[in-house]
Every structure is written in C-alpha cells, then in structure tokens.
Amino acid sequence: MRDLATEFEAERGRLLAVAHRMLGSRAEAEDAVQETWLRCAAALADPSARAEIRELSAWLTTTCARICLDVLRSARVRREAYPGQWLPEPVVSPLGGGPSSDGYAPDPADRAVRTEQVGAALLVVLERLAPEQRVALVLHDVFAVPFARVAEVLGTTEVSARQLASRARRAVTAPDVPRHTAGLAEQRRVLQAFVVATESGELDQLLRVLAPDVVFVGDSGGHFPAARRPVLGADAVGRLTLGLFGRTGRYAQRVRSRPVLVDGVLGLQMETTHSDGRPIRLVTAFAVHEGRITAIYNQLNPEKLAALVPLGDDDTWPPRW
C-alpha cells in the first residue's frame, strides 16, 4: 500500500488538473481525486492486481474521469438553481510560472491548441456542453487521451467519442464565444492599457482596449450585488468598468491589487470594501484576442475564493507590473 500511495501521489497534481478542467470547482476536483484514491486503494491493494495494470497513470485518469462524469450529470441541477451567473472557481498562482502554491499542477490549458481557448475562457464555455461532450473534449483535446480510452470512460464506441468531441469543438469555437489567443506578453500589454484607461476615467480611451462585442460576467453567488445576466458590448462594459474602478467608481481609492495568473492566463487579484463595510475579494480573468479584451470574468463569490493568499500592503491600485 505504501508503494501504491507513492505512485498515486506522483499523479495527484495531474489528476487535480484533469478534474478541475472538467468540473470547474476546486472542492469538487479534490473530492473527485480523493474518490479516485479510494477506488485505487480498494482495487489495487493486492500486488497481483496492481501488476495487471501496465499504465497506472491511464488507469487513474479513466477512473477520475468517470467520477467527474457522474458529478457533471448531477451538477447541472445545482447550477440551474445557482443565484445569478456562474463562473468556475479560479486557480490563482503567482506570475513567473511553475506549480501554483495550492498544490495544482501548472495549468495544462496551453495545450488546447485545437480549441484556441485557455484559462477562464475555456472553463466558461465548457459549461455550454453536455457532460459527455465536456469529458470527451477535455480528455482528448487538453490532455491528449486517445479516443479509445475516452470511449471507455463514456461507455460508448470510439466513433461516438470522436463525434462528441467534434460537436464540443464546434461549440467552443462558435462565433459568439469570446476568443482568447494572446500570449502572455500581449496579455500584459493589453491589461496595462486597460488599467491606464480605467484610471483615466475616459470612456473613449477604454473603448480602444475593448473588443466591440466584449462580454462581462460577474459571479457573486448572491453575496454581493452583481448583474444576473452577462453585460454585452464595449459601451456597456466600459461604463460598468468605470463605474466600479474608475476615478469616481464604487471602489475608487479603496482597491488593492496584484497581477496573477488565473487558470494559466494573466489576471488580477483585488481586495476592496463594500459600501456596507464587508471586505470583498475579487479575481478578474480576461480573454484577449487581436490586441483587445474580448471577455472579462469577475469572480467575487467568497465561497470560491477562500483559499486565496491575502494581498499585502505593497499591493496597490493600479497594480504594479
């Protein structure tokens, strides 16, 4: 059992990344990985049973994916009752790359080249998919799992697994889906321009940074005021942004911030105070395409941000790049 546990721990970071990509929730991902270990320990405790598994990594991935599929099927009911808009729980890590401090592996989404989506943009659009489509796309396009094994997870044929992934791929590249294709250098340039424009308080300057069809999504889980539907269009998103963080905005002069990686792409971690005195933590992720911001994802549900490392006194607004 000690050897089996050692082998499992070597795979834990990757399994967490797989589960989080499928479920969009840190807590649910950790539960899925723990359940994977329990099934592993029950099935492979006997050395002879372990000897029959030639690739433990593949066996664990299949088991974890099946658990995630069951969770996804039941989660749809819970998501329908969620107050307001739903965003995934962000995986926040410091700039500079490498594993994040919370035990997650480096974000694997940069390998999803066929979908041209990474970070929060990918997780949000995955919510459009049926559970089987989501599993097929994540396993094959993000983690390069062969379709034969994907079919095994889904309990279907390899041809059907390919069709599910193909339909999912079309959904996540649909014309109305915010595009994110920028590398970190371009993301930094665009976000710096976004902050400068927000600081200026000038709507025209901010509109030059926002794509015409930009979308703003805020998830407060019902804890704080937030739009119940996405805010669409550069003018509406620009006015909302200035109303929150501009010179005379709701949070003006009361914001601390730090540039971070949010699910592998550049974003901002912020802290401020609500008008009623309650502290607010925010993690804002961005999608950037062709030099403009195509989507802003503002996570301020405290239940999804409990694991954040608090900001320090040196973390000011505007952020220090």
Side-chain angles (χ1 to χ4, degrees):
M1 282 295 292
R2 184 181 298 115
D3 291 343
L4 184 62
T6 300
E7 289 184 278
F8 181 86
E9 287 303 317
E11 296 289 334
R12 181 181 289 275
R14 188 181 58 82
L15 292 173
L16 278 169
V18 170
H20 185 262
R21 271 284 167 265
M22 291 188 186
L23 302 176
S25 163
R26 174 194 175 104
E28 288 180 344
E30 290 178 339
D31 288 346
V33 172
Q34 183 60 25
E35 178 63 23
T36 302
W37 161 246
L38 294 176
R39 295 190 187 185
C40 173
L44 305 182
D46 188 328
S48 61
R50 170 64 186 91
E52 293 179 2
I53 305 299
R54 298 194 333 184
E55 295 182 31
L56 181 63
S57 176
W59 188 95
L60 291 171
T61 300
T62 299
T63 301
C64 185
R66 285 173 174 161
I67 293 168
C68 290
L69 181 59
D70 290 340
V71 174
L72 282 172
R73 286 168 173 162
S74 63
R76 299 190 78 81
V77 176
R78 298 198 304 274
R79 298 272 164 84
E80 290 173 359
Y82 191 81
Q85 301 177 86
W86 184 93
L87 287 173
E89 181 179 348
V91 175
V92 178
S93 52
L95 292 178
S100 62
S101 59
D102 58 8
Y104 275 72
D107 194 286
D110 58 356
R111 298 198 297 273
V113 292
R114 275 174 285 180
T115 65
E116 295 186 334
Q117 299 282 343
V118 294
L122 173 61
L123 284 170
V124 170
V125 76
L126 287 179
E127 284 298 302
R128 295 183 175 200
L129 306 179
E132 294 78 9
Q133 292 176 334
R134 181 166 182 163
V135 169
L137 183 73
V138 170
L139 285 181
H140 184 266
D141 283 31
V142 179
F143 291 95
V145 175
F147 275 120
R149 190 167 294 277
V150 175
E152 182 183 346
V153 171
L154 298 174
T156 188
T157 65
E158 186 172 342
V159 171
S160 294
R162 289 180 181 274
Q163 291 175 341
L164 287 166
S166 179
R167 294 191 193 106
R169 211 172 290 126
R170 288 197 297 271
V172 302
T173 56
D176 62 332
V177 173
R179 299 289 300 279
H180 177 84
T181 57
L184 281 177
E186 183 180 359
Q187 292 173 44
R188 183 187 294 269
R189 179 181 62 79
V190 171
L191 263 63
Q192 286 175 329
F194 170 81
V195 170
V196 170
T198 301
E199 276 284 283
S200 76
E202 298 295 331
L203 180 61
D204 288 346
Q205 185 174 342
L206 187 55
L207 293 180
R208 289 195 287 270
V209 186
L210 301 175
D213 56 351
V214 63
V215 58
F216 185 105
V217 181
D219 175 358
S220 74
H223 293 275
F224 299 102
R228 297 190 65 85
R229 295 182 181 277
V231 178
L232 305 174
D235 187 79
V237 171
R239 293 181 186 278
L240 174 62
T241 300
L242 293 178
L244 293 175
F245 300 107
R247 289 179 177 176
T248 60
R250 181 187 304 172
Y251 303 131
Q253 310 301 322
R254 292 185 290 129
V255 181
R256 290 188 294 168
S257 62
R258 175 193 299 164
V260 292
L261 292 178
V262 184
D263 295 301
V265 300
L266 193 60
L268 296 172
Q269 178 182 339
M270 293 179 279
E271 293 179 1
T272 185
T273 305
H274 191 260
S275 57
D276 62 10
R278 287 181 295 163
I280 302 178
R281 288 179 168 183
L282 306 93
V283 170
T284 304
F286 300 83
V288 178
H289 175 64
E290 295 183 345
R292 290 189 171 186
I293 294 171
T294 59
I296 301 174
Y297 304 105
N298 205 32
Q299 178 60 262
L300 61 158
N301 183 345
E303 296 176 3
K304 297 182 181 180
L305 303 177
L308 285 179
V309 176
L311 297 182
D313 293 337
D314 293 335
D315 295 314
T316 60
W317 178 265
R320 298 180 180 179
W321 302 90

